[in-house]
Amino acid sequence: MSSFTKSTSFNRRALSSLAVESPRSTSSTAFNSPVGSAFASPRTFGGSPRPYTNRLKEISYLFQVLIVAGTLVSFLVIIAGGYLYVVPSLGYNGALQFNTSSVVTDDKECDVFDGNWVVDDSYPLYNASECPFVERGFNCLGNGRGHDEYLKWRWKPKHCNVPRFQVGDVLERLRGKRIVFVGDSMSRTQWESLICMLMTGLDDKRSVYEVNGNNITKRIRFLGVRFGSFNFTVEFYRSVFLVQPGKLLRWHAPKRVKSTLKLDVLDVINHEWSSADYLVFNTGQWWVPGKLFETGCYFQVGNSLRLGMSIPAAYRVALETWASWIEKSIDPNKTRVLFRTFEPSHWSDHRSCNVTKYPTPDTQGRDKSIFSEMIKEVVKNMTVPVSVLDVTSMSAFRSDGHVGLWSDNPLVPDCSHWCLPGVPDIWNEILLFFLFRQQVQ
């Protein structure tokens, strides 16, 4: 507005000097000048001495109009700017408390996996002893773990926030849906965690049941839990490699070869997954010599036995097979696909298990995994959108979160699997964030 005031003052001085000149001396100047002709009124052509006064009034009136118009435009710009700034920060006013400003930083999507573990006394999200779908072996507190500090940690991204879990809103969003976990026992743990989280929002726990009446076991191929009141299912398919284990076809193979893993064939139960609304995959824990070569299992591609193929190379071929199936079989308009990266274990060099009381400040290289990097590389080149739940680095700090000796078999320590409640609950909070944020934005 200061520039507006200065301009007006200058023009008024110029008009005052014009007004004191005699009509005769200004007559020819006014009409021959481009400015004069531009502001001249048709009534000045009558030869009356008033046209100059009239022109002066009209010029003054025009500048007043310009001032008013400029003020109005400035006001509208300020209002529009305020709207664009304030309204997005209000975010979604629903129960999940999504906030678009919390997931975008400097016009770029925030990395929710870049953060720290912070103490939060509002955790845990459920009591494992009150959830019938937690395996006894994962209920560490119920199995005698003497302290509960491991339950009080929340993941906090550095530049944004993961929405707090609000069970009522999540139940409504999952109404009529089918969410499927495919993978190994770590996937089953995450499946159990999500069911227990969701059950906290139900008064009638009897409306939640396994569709075939099966109990949870380590080897069962399928488990499906239905939430009758909301008409959705949370399912688990055991497929530890994602690709198909097979019998040995070549009789002249070395004696050490007992079975094969068909890297170019997806698990035969894959037809059960394709109609899901949400598909969450993982594989990694079984891709070790103890689960493969030491049991006599080697790799096969087509009819060819690949005795010299390394585990990382075979893992990459299996991922490519999975990716090809996704692109051929999944309708991205119906099904949302996610892949969770490798979950680090915390065994010592001599295979001993020492569960700490608090998260470790030193990951000792566990925050990196060749499997996790391969997953991200393969997904990046796919045509069907796949979200990567990169939990490797964040989980590497949680040496306090493992089952240890607090399982259903305390004689066998476990620094691979996780206590429930615990770290898998945080994976699920991030999973729900990925599933529902596009609905909000």
Side-chain angles (χ1 to χ4, degrees), residues 368-383:
K368 304 293 183 184
S369 166
I370 188 172
F371 292 159
S372 298
E373 295 306 313
M374 286 184 186
I375 292 167
K376 288 184 278 190
E377 289 174 6
V378 170
V379 166
K380 183 173 60 176
N381 295 319
M382 294 177 64
T383 57

Side-chain angles (χ1 to χ4, degrees), residues 117-119 149-154 358-359 398 400 426:
W117 291 98
V118 297
V119 175
E149 285 86 353
Y150 72 98
L151 297 173
K152 303 295 184 180
W153 294 93
R154 173 174 62 88
Y358 302 105
R398 296 305 307 273
D400 61 323
I426 308 301

Side-chain angles (χ1 to χ4, degrees), residues 341-375:
T341 61
F342 184 74
E343 323 82 356
S345 59
H346 288 84
W347 297 94
S348 69
D349 294 338
H350 301 289
R351 201 61 183 172
S352 62
C353 178
N354 179 28
V355 177
T356 60
K357 187 175 182 179
Y358 302 105
T360 178
D362 183 8
T363 63
Q364 298 181 342
R366 293 185 176 90
D367 57 329
K368 304 293 183 184
S369 166
I370 188 172
F371 292 159
S372 298
E373 295 306 313
M374 286 184 186
I375 292 167

Side-chain angles (χ1 to χ4, degrees), residues 5 28 39 70 88 90 96 98 101 169 194 198 211 236 242 246 262 268 280 319 383 407 434:
T5 305
S28 59
F39 290 103
L90 296 177
L96 261 182
F98 279 98
S101 65
D169 189 70
L194 182 60
L198 295 173
V211 293
F236 166 70
L242 298 185
K262 298 180 179 180
V268 293
V280 187
L319 284 180
T383 57
S407 70
F434 270 77

Side-chain angles (χ1 to χ4, degrees), residues 164-304:
R164 295 299 186 99
F165 175 70
Q166 297 291 339
V167 63
D169 189 70
V170 175
L171 287 169
E172 285 295 338
R173 291 174 182 271
L174 290 177
R175 186 183 291 275
K177 302 295 185 181
R178 182 176 174 233
I179 180 169
V180 172
F181 291 88
V182 181
D184 53 29
S185 56
M186 298 298 175
S187 183
R188 190 178 71 249
T189 307
Q190 187 177 3
W191 171 81
E192 295 175 21
S193 162
L194 182 60
I195 293 170
C196 294
M197 290 168 65
L198 295 173
M199 286 188 69
T200 61
L202 300 176
D203 294 327
D204 183 10
K205 303 295 193 288
R206 294 173 300 177
S207 65
V208 182
Y209 54 92
E210 206 286 321
V211 293
N212 294 318
N214 292 323
N215 295 321
I216 299 174
T217 63
K218 295 180 179 179
R219 296 286 179 178
I220 195 167
R221 280 281 261 168
F222 168 74
L223 289 163
V225 169
R226 182 174 181 80
F227 285 71
S229 301
F230 291 86
N231 189 33
F232 71 82
T233 56
V234 185
E235 305 170 26
F236 166 70
Y237 289 87
R238 184 176 184 269
S239 180
V240 298
F241 297 110
L242 298 185
V243 290
Q244 180 64 31
K247 296 180 180 180
L248 184 63
L249 300 178
R250 295 174 54 182
W251 294 99
H252 58 282
K255 290 184 179 181
R256 69 177 186 271
V257 181
K258 307 299 182 185
S259 63
T260 63
L261 190 62
K262 298 180 179 180
L263 301 177
D264 57 339
V265 180
L266 203 66
D267 195 321
V268 293
I269 61 173
N270 65 75
H271 62 278
E272 300 285 350
W273 317 333
S274 57
S275 62
D277 295 285
Y278 307 114
L279 262 175
V280 187
F281 292 92
N282 97 293
T283 184
Q285 293 292 332
W286 282 61
W287 292 85
V288 292
K291 300 287 188 180
L292 292 166
F293 306 146
E294 294 175 18
T295 67
C297 182
Y298 288 81
F299 304 123
Q300 178 180 341
V301 178
N303 292 323
S304 174

